[in-house]
Amino acid sequence: MAANALSCVDEIQAIGAVPKILETVAAMTGLRFVCIAHVTQDSWTACAVLDKLEFGLKPGDPLDVTTTLCEEVRDTGAAVIIDHVRESAQYCEHHTPRIYGFQSYFSIPVFRPDGQYFGTLCGLDPEPARLTDAVTVSTLQLFAELIAKQLEGERSLGEARAALLDERETAELREQFIAVLGHDLRTPLGSVLSGTEILLLKHQDPSTRQVVERIRRSTRRMAALVEDVVDFTRGRMGGGIALDLRMVKGADLRLYDVVDELSGVYPERTIDTAIQPGMSLHCDPERLAQLLSNLLKNALVHGSAHHPVFVVAHVREGRFTLRVTNGGPDLSPAVIAQLLKPYWRAASRAGSEGLGLGLYIVDQIARGHGGTIEVGSSAGSTSFTFTMPAEARA
């Protein structure tokens, strides 16, 4: 079978409504053989068959097109409908009824929406049948149009699926490239950062020290952006955020380290803390620190500069809670719904930079710990609340 004919058979077989259409046509006309055929200049191929006459014709089976009346339908673009071959002046001596032994017959052309001829909806029976009344003809034509519409729908769906698959493959390659690039950038950035540390120790000239400090801050920021990209691509490619979960004593000290670090970066801002001392948590301490760092930086950058930022952390009834709250205008439900999505950033103060991955990574770290992030905004303050089990789950 030619590849094009095989493709047409697959197209018809993919339409779920075809068996019901053939059954309905057979019940309406009384004919015991109904099929949909793909017809070209030199071929006739059955695409779907309802055969109660035991012709033995199956989807994919060919007939000599010159022995069929579908050839006439293809050439004229008009339907052929016969109630009784013996009483038909046009077809009583025709070779096709003699070859296939039928008395009643119809063949309705099926055109694709672009006008291209596909084939026919046809049926036959050894007994006569009333097929030429207006209602029957109109219904058969409607079924042929329905098949044509379904063909177009399946074609469009197939193209959309192919385009989606191609885009998915492109996105995966893009993310793999970003992941490899991010990984390879870590080494040179580490070398630059180490170099700045050495320069700060060996050169005390104030003018030189100021330049080196600027290089160190910029390098740390680049390294943080690279880490965000690597974390993002790892999560998107199915690996998830890498975690080293273990029981950590004195987890509160790691949280204080983050607060101290950002207090140094934002000396003009006030950060108030209420962190329970002596907390023991089943967690990845580095990722927990990253989660707090991202939340705290978000609050310092987007919150009101005239209000302090509050950091609260405690364990109660077996649940660890970490909350970061900043002052500022209330966030709308629409904005809150977007906050944890990658590459999404709300309008913020001048000077804020980033890829829009910080809160997405916060959400991924929370999920990796079996926890959740909730956002609330009202009465001039916005809070991000992370909760998780304090101990390992069974």
Side-chain angles (χ1 to χ4, degrees), residues 233-343:
T233 53
R234 184 186 291 117
R236 295 285 286 185
M237 291 167 64
I241 295 289
L243 296 177
D244 179 17
L245 296 173
R246 59 187 186 276
M247 203 64 195
V248 177
K249 296 181 178 180
D252 51 302
L253 300 179
R254 192 67 188 91
L255 300 180
Y256 273 120
D257 287 343
V258 174
V259 174
D260 290 343
E261 179 183 343
L262 288 176
S263 294
V265 177
Y266 298 90
E268 75 284 359
R269 300 296 303 277
T270 300
I271 304 175
D272 291 337
T273 60
I275 299 175
Q276 179 182 331
M279 285 188 297
S280 294
L281 300 174
H282 185 261
C283 67
D284 181 329
E286 297 304 320
R287 290 299 189 182
L288 184 62
Q290 183 183 8
L291 181 147
L292 174 58
S293 179
N294 286 0
L295 289 180
L296 194 48
K297 280 189 288 188
N298 179 75
L300 291 166
V301 169
H302 298 284
S304 169
H306 306 295
H307 295 83
V309 174
F310 297 93
V311 177
V312 177
H314 54 72
V315 175
R316 292 176 184 169
E317 298 179 354
R319 301 284 296 179
F320 169 69
T321 299
L322 173 63
R323 181 178 297 109
V324 177
T325 304
N326 62 266
D330 294 349
L331 303 180
S332 68
V335 169
I336 290 175
Q338 301 293 323
L339 285 176
L340 302 180
K341 295 182 179 180
Y343 297 122

Side-chain angles (χ1 to χ4, degrees), residues 6-53:
L6 180 60
S7 173
C8 291
V9 173
D10 291 340
E11 280 187 275
I12 294 297
Q13 290 294 311
I15 301 174
V18 161
K20 183 61 67 176
I21 290 174
L22 297 184
E23 290 175 7
T24 304
V25 170
M28 177 187 70
T29 60
L31 304 189
R32 288 169 285 176
F33 180 89
V34 182
C35 81
I36 299 170
H38 173 59
V39 183
T40 68
Q41 288 292 333
D42 54 11
S43 70
W44 186 105
T45 306
C47 296
V49 179
L50 176 64
D51 182 8
K52 296 181 180 180
L53 294 175

